[in-house]
Amino acid sequence: MSSPLPGDDEVLRALVRRRDTGNRDDGHHIALVVAGGGMRGAYAGGMAHALDDAGLAGGFDAVYGSSAGAYIGGALLLGDGRGAAHIFFEDMACREFADLRRLRTRKPVVSLDHLLDDIMVHSKPMPWDRLHASPVPLRVIATDVTDLTPHVLEPRDPDEWKVAFRATAAIPVLAGPPVELQGRRWIDGSVSEPLPVLRALRDGATHVLALLNRSGHRPDPGAGPARWARALDRLAPGLGSIAQEGHRIGPVLAVIDDAAHPSRDGRHLLALRPGEDAGVTGLTIDVSRVYRASRIGYATVEAALERVSTGRVTG
């Protein structure tokens, strides 16, 4: 297993205390931030499953995420951490969901219709009414297409929640056209804010737990665009670069890397990354790889909780 990121295990300790005492009146505001990234969400899904199994899902005061991160966060809020993990290898790892061959016919590579109207209706139902009524807010991030700025969507009813989930995942050509909600047009939140840790801190979080989807912490700046991104650029120049997160995540990584960063301002931040690399990218549909990513994510949280229980120190 790789070494932990610079962080603060007090985040986990605070969650464990809430679980063990049943007392949330501790003066803390604990936020969960879940990275997106398409099928790479299997890692964070496994982490959410482990948090749920450990009885920690009810300890958060707010949850943030875009695209796959929004689904994982929503499922965890509603007590379905298992589904947050299993949806990736049981339902999404198939050509009905993601198929690069659709680029030849200019159809979206990723079928949000299959996800929202089939998977999230039949095999992994999302109770939109319960999500709307949740006392713990799910902050779904989306990008305004007019200026590519990130915003928290504010659905007003269960029907709008379903639209919000489509909006936070939409990327033209890759996953469908912009989505209109409340008079504005939206695309994938990861385009503008791939990991909303800074937003959680600005919102007043005293403790932030971030679930990452890369075993390698920092994307390689010399790696160049992925194959799917190059294909997007051929169809719509510049779109592939916009869709990749590497150049936008730097300021967040600076905060994660540095326990003394001014943005932390004495607050507690712990980022968990997968302990291994299962070879899963945003569009991987190999069931065995996606399953392994989920189990790696689960083991990552188990190891972190074991570290806390034995009193070992990180950061």
Side-chain angles (χ1 to χ4, degrees):
M1 302 287 280
S2 55
S3 59
L5 298 174
D8 188 343
D9 281 341
E10 175 59 23
V11 178
L12 292 179
R13 286 191 285 268
L15 287 168
V16 169
R17 286 195 299 270
R18 284 187 171 186
R19 178 198 66 190
D20 293 347
T21 65
N23 179 25
R24 298 173 62 91
D25 188 19
D26 51 17
H28 303 327
H29 185 85
I30 305 178
L32 176 67
V33 174
V34 187
M39 295 302 292
R40 283 203 314 272
Y43 293 108
M47 294 179 195
H49 189 186
L51 288 170
D52 201 8
D53 280 358
L56 301 180
F60 297 103
D61 297 297
V63 177
Y64 297 76
S66 61
S67 190
Y71 169 77
I72 294 166
L76 186 63
L77 277 182
L78 299 178
D80 189 18
R82 181 184 184 279
H86 283 233
I87 191 173
F88 289 95
F89 57 83
E90 289 183 349
D91 304 290
M92 295 168 63
C94 62
R95 290 196 184 278
E96 288 81 5
F97 175 66
D99 190 348
L100 276 169
R101 296 176 300 181
R102 295 186 191 126
L103 284 173
R104 303 170 189 165
T105 58
R106 294 181 176 264
K107 294 180 180 179
V109 172
V110 172
S111 174
L112 295 181
D113 288 342
H114 182 64
L115 176 62
L116 292 165
D117 298 331
D118 188 2
I119 296 172
M120 293 176 67
V121 171
H122 301 294
S123 57
K124 300 290 186 297
M126 174 62 75
W128 304 108
D129 54 340
R130 288 183 55 213
L131 190 62
H132 179 66
S134 171
V136 176
L138 176 63
R139 309 294 192 195
V140 176
I141 312 299
T143 301
D144 188 329
V145 297
T146 60
D147 56 10
L148 296 183
T149 56
H151 299 264
V152 173
L153 299 178
E154 298 182 355
R156 295 169 296 199
D157 55 47
D159 289 338
E160 285 196 348
W161 270 102
K162 184 175 181 179
V163 177
F165 268 51
R166 183 181 292 273
T168 189
I171 296 179
V173 181
L174 183 62
V179 174
E180 184 170 337
L181 178 64
Q182 298 175 4
R184 301 170 78 171
R185 297 168 71 239
W186 307 97
I187 57 174
D188 193 323
S190 296
V191 167
S192 55
E193 193 170 4
L195 191 67
V197 166
L198 294 173
R199 181 180 294 273
L201 292 171
R202 289 195 303 268
D203 287 350
T206 60
H207 299 64
V208 178
L209 178 62
L211 309 182
L212 307 187
N213 285 324
R214 292 180 181 273
S215 59
H217 182 197
R218 188 176 298 276
D220 180 4
R227 182 165 66 96
W228 63 264
R230 295 196 300 270
L232 287 182
D233 277 331
R234 288 195 295 271
L235 291 170
L239 183 59
S241 299
I242 289 173
Q244 291 201 116
E245 70 180 29
H247 68 287
R248 295 180 306 282
I249 203 168
V252 181
L253 297 182
V255 177
I256 290 173
D257 280 337
D258 183 4
H261 195 282
S263 293
R264 292 201 187 188
D265 191 25
R267 289 170 288 180
H268 304 286
L269 168 61
L270 178 64
L272 298 178
R273 61 170 172 173
E276 302 174 53
D277 184 359
V280 172
T281 69
L283 296 175
T284 297
I285 57 172
D286 182 292
V287 174
S288 61
R289 287 188 186 181
V290 176
Y291 173 77
R292 182 165 175 258
S294 172
R295 298 311 301 168
I296 289 170
Y298 194 102
T300 298
V301 169
E302 282 190 318
L305 291 173
E306 173 66 18
R307 184 177 69 235
V308 169
S309 70
T310 57
R312 287 181 281 140
V313 178
T314 68

